[in-house]
């Protein structure tokens, strides 16, 4: 066990729907409030009640927010998963359990066991069965706070906040928390080998999940139409949008400056988004892989008809009966090339909730500027877990970028209009909204059977003109999307790493570890597709490049090789795809292993 | 096919309407459909209706799915924005467009394959929601564009041009629309302009989902003895229940026949639909009776046409959603973005 003060992993094994989620979250937040970074992760089944669910909290003074792997303290509250949970504890670690019933025979000898008679205490102090169930969670919170040195005032303040305005709920919770503490103080051995000590390592960072941040980003980005169909793990994007719209988008008369439609399916969702985008409203949908599959026909139309649309894809393990509650980055190709014909779509890859917010607003701007679908590629790991990140940021004075739209005055003033004419050479043509001018600017929208003035045409040269312009437009997109970020190693090196999205925290941690071993890596974080040319330059500037992805088939690598015709041998994929978030242990291990087979050329300083 | 400029021929109706447009201004590109196709007659009725209604062409947005029928929006209202979407999904695109700008008039054109086969789901849900639109299905019982396969509205027992018999029972979009809560439901026949034009006008004036099923024979694939959607069949079996004229609040635009047996149905905007009842007891405000009436006549092998149901109290989707009056696509940054200061407060709440 490597755990030490402010650096350990605790995992709660619970039964879904037992009320443990709020107690566990409170635990994580209490440690944050003590100035110590945490990164919690929900590991949950695709059902509402009864199946096992886990909440894993990594406490890391150094601020490592990726999943670490291994468990130092298991709070084993679910008999169903007991055996596996016990096995997962690192040697020298702790098992915390409800000792109302005796321990089963044949326990591991290399871990320490802490029993607290939670059920018995509940039965003794509470009559109502529901209250027994709920307060049991708060009891273990009390016990753990004593064992780990979590300040009781912090927890009690959080409980009061949680039940703000409901003192009849707050007090029993606080009492149960104290009861747990007192019992632990009187009966248990502590401190443990690790614990929490107040520090100042959190700073002004905030704690929020990526889906909420993306939903809020859509409010800031000026989305007025949201059409969606529920699917894990994306549902909370639409819910957050709705929540913040109710807060910020109701006028003095109680009228709404937004429209949210829970459509009949994803086809209708994207259809509505396309209709709204065609008609000049900012619109988005939120979905996951199976939903994107249903949307693909429309995405092709939107690409060719050049209609702005924003799609938030919170990726999960596919297919529909796949691993809806597990994380992956496995929709890269299905989104980048969604639909029939020669289509290409813009993808944005936020690394955390901070960027989920920023990129959601950017996606809406980009969709309008480029007149095309734009995907915001979250995944379950970022989307459904609260993550410590930089405060959300908005420049005062920022306005919505509506792109090339000819308004009534422009048309009245005689600006010539042809819907698909490349007037400015950037591949982006001017458009008009329906209803703008009585006799100018109307056009008929269809797929590709058209000429530059939107008249019906099946002529080959017209087709070529159009699709070549679309290619130019995609080139333009390279300069408009979020650019990659390079972090150079402390000394010159011939090795590079490409990574993106939720891999970020684990990648940083892995690079630090490898640096300690004397291995220098230049890092580039890709933040969007189409890849700016700097991505090619980065690949060519290194003898070997590792590309870290959370899918089986190295999908981003396919895009990379395709985009720049780079020699595939230069790019070694490192792939993690069992549905759990990638860890620094995995990345560092895999890079070390691959390097065994590579002769590293030292680069002179 | 390339665009052919329409020759400036003599036109019967070059008089200007109240908003200064001639009938010609409501026309579109020259049709590429088969000569005699029922769909072209419907386009002509749409042109006539819009001209008579004095709507400015650019205030109409016309959307369609895929099919011969769905091609027609290119052939009328050339000054309007149009959108040929994907097969069976016009309703969702129209819904999105309507959400973006509640001030335009929305005209959805579809086919029976488009709406009753591939797109029946979207048809159903658009009716349920009460999207403010005129939804016309140009119903020929076949897939015209893909050359004559049966659609879901083809009658059981009818034969295709190749002789195959349809054994599936048909979808009746009118009955379905009634059941789903559409607030305006009508049926007509492409060849009966006198009935169709006023129906389209009334539908466009109606607030909420207005559905018109227009039987529209396909001369290429469905106008033969075995088909129940051919001209002759329909003419014989047509049981026109009523006929209507529309009166605008400001001035009557149609000559109204003497009052005998007339029902006035007042619409939201104050205009009045006047129904000339051919059957004394037909009241188009009774949804249940309309459903019975249709079923009763269908059992006799008769197709009823006319305004079958209208809810004068209808509300539309925007009123359900309580959206602001200003079209959403016109709201600017200040109205939409909470701004940097608010974000600081939000950040504090996430700590
Ligand atoms: C997804 C998809 N499947 C199939 C087609 C081919 N298709 C084009 S039109 C059509 C049928 C149209 O029938 P209907 O709506 O009745 O129109 P009509 O031509 O009879 O007016 C079909 C099947 C298509 N365009 N898209
Ligand atoms: S095939 Fe039938 S529906 Fe299509 S244009 Fe010809 S007549 Fe009309
Ligand atoms: Mg048809």
């Amino acid at each position: 066990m490597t755990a030490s003060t402010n650096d350990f992993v605790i995992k709660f094994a619970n039964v879904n729907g037992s009320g443990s989620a709020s107690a566990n979250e409170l635990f994580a937040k209490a440690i944050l409030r003590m100035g110590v970074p945490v990164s919690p992760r929900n590991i949950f089944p695709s059902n509402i009640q009864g199946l096992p669910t886990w909440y894993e909290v990594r406490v890391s003074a150094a601020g490592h927010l990726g999943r670490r792997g291994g468990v130092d303290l298991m709070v084993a509250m679910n008999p169903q998963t007991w055996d596996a949970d016990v096995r997962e504890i690192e040697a020298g670690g702790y098992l915390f359990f409800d000792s109302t019933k005796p321990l089963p025979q044949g326990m591991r000898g290399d871990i320490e066991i802490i029993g607290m008679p939670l059920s018995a205490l509940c039965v003794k102090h509470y009559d109502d069965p529901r209250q027994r169930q709920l307060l049991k969670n708060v009891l273990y919170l009390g016990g753990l706070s004593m064992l780990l040195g979590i300040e009781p005032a912090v927890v009690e303040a959080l409980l009061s906040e949680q039940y703000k305005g409901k003192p009849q709920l707050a007090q029993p919770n606080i009492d149960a928390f104290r009861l747990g503490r007192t019992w632990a103080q009187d009966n248990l051995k502590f401190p443990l080998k690790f614990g929490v000590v107040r520090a100042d390592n959190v700073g002004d960072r905030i704690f929020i999940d990526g889906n909420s941040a993306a939903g809020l980003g859509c409010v800031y980005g000026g989305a007025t139409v949201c059409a969606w169909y529920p699917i894990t793990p994306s549902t909370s994007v639409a819910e957050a949008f709705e929540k913040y719209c109710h807060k910020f988008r109701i006028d003095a008369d109680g009228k709404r400056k937004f429209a949210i439609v829970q459509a009949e399916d994803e086809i209708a969702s994207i259809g509505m988004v396309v209709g709204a985008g065609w008609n000049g409203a900012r619109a988005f949908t939120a979905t996951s892989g199976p939903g994107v599959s249903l949307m693909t026909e429309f995405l092709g139309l939107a690409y060719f008809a050049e209609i702005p649309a924003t799609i938030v894809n919170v990726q999960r393990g596919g297919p529909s009966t796949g691993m809806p509650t597990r994380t992956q980055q496995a929709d890269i190709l299905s989104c980048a090339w969604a639909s029939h014909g020669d289509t290409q779509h813009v993808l944005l890859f936020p690394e955390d909730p901070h960027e989920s917010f920023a990129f959601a607003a950017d996606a809406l701007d980009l969709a309008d500027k480029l007149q095309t679908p734009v995907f915001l590629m979250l995944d379950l790991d970022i989307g459904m877990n609260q993550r410590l990140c930089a405060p959300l940021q908005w420049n005062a004075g920022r306005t919505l970028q509506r792109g090339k739209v000819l308004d009534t005055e422009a048309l009245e003033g005689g600006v010539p209009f042809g819907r698909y004419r490349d007037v400015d050479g950037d591949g982006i043509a001017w458009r008009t909204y329906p209803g703008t001018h009585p006799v100018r600017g109307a056009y008929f929208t269809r797929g590709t059977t058209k000429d530059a003035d939107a008249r019906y045409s099946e002529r080959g040269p017209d087709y070529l003109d159009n699709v070549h312009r679309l290619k130019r437009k995609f080139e333009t997109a390279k300069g408009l999307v979020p650019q990659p970020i390079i972090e150079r190693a402390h000394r010159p090196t011939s090795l590079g790493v490409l990574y993106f999205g939720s891999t970020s925290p684990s990648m940083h941690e892995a690079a630090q570890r490898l640096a300690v071993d004397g291995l220098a890596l230049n890092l580039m974080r890709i933040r969007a597709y189409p890849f700016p040319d700097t991505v090619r330059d980065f690949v060519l500037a290194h003898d070997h490049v590792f590309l870290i992805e959370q899918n089986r088939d190295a999908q981003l690598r396919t895009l990379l090789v395709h985009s720049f015709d780079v020699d595939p041998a230069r790019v070694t994929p490192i792939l993690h795809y069992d549905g759990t978030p990638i860890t620094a242990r995995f990345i560092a291990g895999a890079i070390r292993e691959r390097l065994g087979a590579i002769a590293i050329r030292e680069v002179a300083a | 096919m390339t665009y052919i400029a329409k020759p400036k021929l003599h036109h019967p109706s070059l008089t200007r309407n109240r908003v200064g447009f001639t009938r010609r201004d409501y026309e579109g590109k020259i049709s590429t459909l088969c000569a005699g196709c029922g769909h072209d007659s419907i386009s002509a009725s749409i042109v006539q209706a819009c001209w008579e209604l004095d709507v400015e062409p650019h205030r109409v947005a016309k959307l369609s799915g895929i099919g011969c029928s769905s091609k027609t929006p290119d052939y009328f209202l050339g000054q309007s924005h149009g959108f040929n979407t994907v097969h069976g999904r016009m309703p969702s695109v129209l819904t999105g467009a309507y959400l973006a700008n509640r001030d335009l008039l929305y005209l959805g054109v579809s086919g029976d394959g488009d709406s009753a086969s591939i797109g029946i789901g979207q048809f159903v849900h658009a009716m349920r929601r009460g999207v403010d639109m005129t939804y016309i299905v140009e119903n020929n019982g076949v897939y015209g564009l893909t050359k004559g396969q049966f659609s879901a509205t083809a009658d059981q027992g009818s034969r295709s041009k190749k002789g195959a018999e349809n054994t599936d029972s048909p979808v009746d979009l009118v009955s379905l629309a009634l059941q789903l809560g559409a607030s305006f439901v009508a049926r007509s026949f492409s060849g009966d302009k006198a009935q169709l034009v006023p129906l389209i006008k009334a539908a466009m004036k109606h607030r909420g989902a207005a559905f018109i099923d227009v039987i529209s024979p396909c001369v290429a694939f469905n106008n033969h003895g075995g088909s129940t959607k051919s001209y002759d069949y329909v003419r014989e079996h047509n049981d026109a229940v009523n006929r209507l004229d529309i009166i605008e609040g400001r001035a009557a635009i149609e000559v109204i026949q003497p009052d005998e047996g007339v029902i006035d149905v007042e619409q939201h905007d104050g205009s009045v639909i006047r129904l000339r009842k051919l059957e004394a007891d037909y009241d188009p405000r009774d949804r249940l009776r309309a459903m019975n009436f249709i079923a009763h006549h269908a059992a006799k092998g008769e197709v009823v046409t006319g305004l079958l149901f209208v809810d004068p109290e209808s509300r539309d989707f925007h009123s359900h959603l309580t959206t602001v009056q200003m079209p959403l696509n016109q709201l600017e940054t200040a109205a939409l973005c909470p701004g940097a200061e608010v974000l600081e407060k939000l950040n504090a709440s996430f700590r």
Side-chain angles (χ1 to χ4, degrees), chain A residues 33 204 207 220 249 256-258 264 268 272 275-276 279-280 307 392 400 432 434-435 438 441-443 445-446 456, chain B residues 1 58-59 74 81-84 92-93 96-97 106 122 129 321-324 329 333 335-336 339 343 347 350-351:
Chain A
R33 290 261 177 110
D204 71 342
F207 191 54
Y220 269 75
R249 292 270 197 83
R256 300 175 180 187
K257 293 181 275 185
F258 62 94
E264 58 269 30
M272 289 178 200
N279 211 1
I307 294 163
L392 308 181
L400 310 181
T432 55
Y443 69 96
T445 308
R446 49 167 79 79
Y456 191 85
Chain B
M1 196 169 307
H58 76 294
R59 303 305 293 172
D74 206 15
H81 274 69
F83 195 170
N84 210 172
S92 62
V93 182
Y106 292 93
Q122 296 218 337
R129 289 191 185 102
L321 291 171
T322 61
T323 25
V324 285
N329 70 352
T333 310
L336 299 177
L343 194 61
N347 276 326
F350 302 138
R351 287 187 180 118

Side-chain angles (χ1 to χ4, degrees), chain A residues 381-458:
Chain A
D381 190 34
I382 308 175
M384 288 193 70
N385 292 311
Q386 290 179 303
R387 179 70 48 82
L388 201 59
C389 63
L392 308 181
Q393 207 261 324
W394 192 257
N395 290 339
R398 173 170 168 173
T399 54
L400 310 181
Q401 304 291 302
R402 304 307 310 259
K404 296 186 185 178
V405 181
L406 291 177
D407 58 12
T408 316
E409 290 85 76
L411 291 169
E412 190 59 37
V415 173
F417 174 68
R419 174 65 183 94
Y420 303 104
R421 294 187 203 164
D422 188 4
V423 190
D424 311 309
D426 56 3
I428 306 170
W430 289 81
R431 68 175 184 140
T432 55
Y433 299 157
T436 302
H437 192 280
V439 290
R440 292 181 192 152
Y443 69 96
F444 198 79
T445 308
R446 49 167 79 79
T448 45
T449 45
K450 65 193 178 199
D451 66 12
D453 288 328
R455 292 173 301 206
Y456 191 85
S457 168
E458 294 180 12

Side-chain angles (χ1 to χ4, degrees), chain A residues 134-152:
Chain A
L134 285 172
L135 293 179
K136 188 155 115 181
N137 304 314
V138 185
L139 270 182
Y140 72 61
L141 206 64
L144 290 170
S145 75
M146 189 50 95
L147 294 173
L148 294 168
I150 296 171
E151 295 168 13

Side-chain angles (χ1 to χ4, degrees), chain B residues 31-40 67-69 71 138 140 142-148 216-222:
Chain B
S31 169
T32 58
L33 303 185
C34 307
C37 174
H39 300 349
D40 278 337
C68 297
S69 35
K71 278 170 165 265
E138 308 191 345
N140 55 14
V142 294
Y143 292 177
L145 195 58
T146 50
K147 305 210 184 316
S216 176
C218 168
V219 294
F221 303 109
N222 214 358

Side-chain angles (χ1 to χ4, degrees), chain A residues 38-39 42 51 77 100 138 142 171 197 200 239 246 262 279 303 314 376 387 441 484 495 526 543 546 558 584:
Chain A
V38 296
S39 62
N42 290 294
L51 279 192
M77 304 299 293
T100 308
V138 185
Q171 203 50 51
V197 171
D200 191 12
E239 288 171 349
H246 279 281
Q262 187 191 313
N279 211 1
Y303 171 81
V314 189
L376 179 63
R387 179 70 48 82
L495 299 174
I526 291 175
D543 292 354
F546 297 101
T558 302

